[in-house]
Amino acid sequence: MEQKAPPIAKQGILSLTIKDKSALYAAYMPFVKNGGLFIPTNKDYALGDEVFMLLTLMEEKEKLPVAGKIVWITPKGAQGNRAAGIGVQFSEQDGGNVRNKIETYLAGALKSDRQTHTM
């Protein structure tokens, strides 16, 4: 009987640019420990996959490197015309740096009732 090798986690760099506050609000997941972002994608991922993102926020020139893991998956063809994609929880490695930056941009909007990509 032939043994199959265990599946290798799909490592990859996700590049994400968020240019305005409403897009950032829709993508940000404040309810996730360390914060997280919803990233629209049609690629297949599994819960727990480790990913690395290069995030560009608003008009900033530098890309923010963020490691994370997938904690949410919205499949293609999901109910309610929701965008297909993944929710990535930020790793503790950056010490809340990215989360703090996002929450500074969203100051005042986080308690809003507006719909997001996740909840």
Side-chain angles (χ1 to χ4, degrees):
M1 198 161 100
E2 194 179 308
Q3 273 193 309
K4 286 186 177 176
I8 297 168
K10 292 180 201 90
Q11 290 286 349
I13 295 178
L14 298 164
S15 193
L16 183 65
T17 301
I18 298 179
K19 292 188 188 307
D20 63 62
K21 221 168 157 173
S22 62
L24 183 59
Y25 175 82
Y28 183 55
M29 302 189 308
F31 52 86
V32 172
K33 183 181 178 209
N34 304 325
L37 280 176
F38 176 84
I39 301 171
T41 180
N42 286 319
K43 288 186 183 163
D44 289 325
Y45 288 94
L47 289 174
D49 279 359
E50 302 280 325
V51 292
F52 188 78
M53 295 180 285
L54 288 173
L55 180 62
T56 308
L57 291 175
M58 310 303 175
E59 302 299 318
E60 292 186 17
K61 298 280 181 258
E62 75 178 272
K63 292 179 185 291
L64 301 168
V66 192
K69 76 173 179 190
I70 296 175
V71 295
W72 179 291
I73 297 175
T74 302
K76 292 178 263 240
Q79 288 179 302
N81 293 326
R82 289 198 173 274
I86 54 174
V88 178
Q89 176 185 26
F90 301 149
S91 155
E92 291 181 13
Q93 291 170 335
D94 84 332
N97 186 23
V98 173
R99 177 186 196 143
N100 293 339
K101 211 171 252 249
I102 289 172
E103 290 187 354
T104 299
Y105 277 120
L106 293 179
L110 284 175
K111 301 282 187 263
S112 167
D113 289 334
R114 285 182 297 163
Q115 191 171 2
T116 69
H117 288 302
T118 51
M119 292 187 134

